[in-house]
Amino acid sequence: MPRVIGLTGGIASGKSLVSRTLKGLGMIVIDADDISHEILARDTSIKQEVIRIFGKEVCNERGGIDRETLGRIVFFQKPELRKDLEAILHPPIREEMWKRARESRSDNVVLDIPLLIETGGHERVDLAVVVYATRELQIQRLMARDGISRQEAIRRIDTQLPLGAKASVAHYIINNTGSAEETEEQVTRFYQAIREHKTS
């Protein structure tokens, strides 16, 4: 079993940049969002359960689940249904991620999980890495990225645990309040430390 590194952050904190950089350095990264997409595409029973709860409006023209529509519902229109969606998707996602981790022949495997700490997953991994940015930076980045209002950005960010709270339980913090180049340098240092077994 490889050493399992849990990578998490918050909406618009820069986790995707860190994940891409780790992949570029040659690390195996198993992405929860990618697996969610795969499960919704291949598992008919799960797809039908999502449709039963959210209605046929979440289906695209090809009969699959429109993730953008689904996200709009759970973030803005009916946030009370977000827990229902998580109850459907999280167990099979976790199962598949750990299956792939166990089967990996790499010394280190990264599990990229947005809600790693909210779901208690940080207690299961060997190292929990949090990508940190200030709340105001999150708001500004999310507004620019998704073309949404400040109020909408705040509402989405508030669906997750504050980054300060996540950072308090992390083994390692990558500070993404600077430039992309500065963040990439931090990721490279982390990667080197992992390879040299200097992290605990």
Side-chain angles (χ1 to χ4, degrees):
M1 181 76 179
R3 175 164 51 176
V4 178
I5 301 160
L7 174 65
T8 193
I11 298 172
S13 67
K15 184 172 62 62
S16 295
L17 170 62
V18 173
S19 180
R20 285 196 307 271
T21 305
L22 288 171
K23 288 179 184 177
L25 290 167
M27 292 198 76
I28 301 298
V29 178
I30 302 171
D31 190 296
D33 287 337
D34 289 344
I35 291 179
S36 171
H37 184 76
E38 292 174 20
I39 287 173
L40 284 171
R42 73 170 186 243
D43 193 313
T44 303
S45 63
I46 289 178
K47 183 176 76 171
Q48 290 303 320
E49 182 65 8
V50 170
I51 294 171
R52 184 185 70 80
I53 292 175
F54 293 92
K56 292 184 178 179
E57 64 181 288
V58 299
C59 294
N60 57 32
E61 294 177 354
R62 298 180 302 278
I65 299 296
D66 186 320
R67 288 159 58 89
E68 184 176 337
T69 299
L70 189 59
R72 186 166 60 249
I73 291 172
V74 298
F75 279 118
F76 301 119
Q77 298 172 0
K78 298 178 181 178
E80 68 276 7
L81 293 181
R82 185 165 54 90
K83 293 295 183 184
D84 294 316
L85 181 63
E86 292 173 355
I88 296 169
L89 292 178
H90 285 184
I93 290 172
R94 282 196 297 268
E95 181 180 350
E96 182 64 22
M97 292 188 84
W98 280 94
K99 175 178 178 289
R100 295 186 189 186
R102 287 191 299 270
E103 293 174 350
S104 173
R105 297 183 179 181
S106 177
D107 291 334
N108 300 286
V109 173
V110 177
L111 302 185
D112 183 340
I113 307 175
L115 300 180
L116 177 74
I117 293 171
E118 287 90 335
T119 59
H122 64 293
E123 297 177 350
R124 187 177 178 185
V125 299
D126 298 305
L127 283 175
V129 179
V130 169
V131 183
Y132 177 81
T134 65
R135 179 178 171 84
E136 185 57 32
L137 265 178
Q138 281 185 276
I139 294 169
Q140 295 299 327
R141 287 170 177 168
L142 188 55
M143 290 170 62
R145 187 189 76 186
D146 292 357
I148 59 178
S149 69
R150 182 180 180 87
Q151 183 179 5
E152 290 174 334
I154 290 172
R155 187 186 308 173
R156 289 193 64 178
I157 290 167
D158 284 347
T159 64
Q160 297 182 348
L161 193 66
L163 278 174
K166 293 187 179 187
S168 70
V169 299
H171 297 101
Y172 200 98
I173 298 169
I174 294 174
N175 189 325
N176 187 36
T177 56
S179 67
E181 291 75 19
E182 289 170 332
T183 298
E184 289 167 352
E185 288 176 5
Q186 292 179 67
V187 176
T188 300
R189 289 197 298 271
F190 170 71
Y191 169 76
Q192 292 169 343
I194 286 291
R195 293 293 300 271
E196 297 168 7
H197 300 285
K198 291 181 179 178
T199 56
S200 58

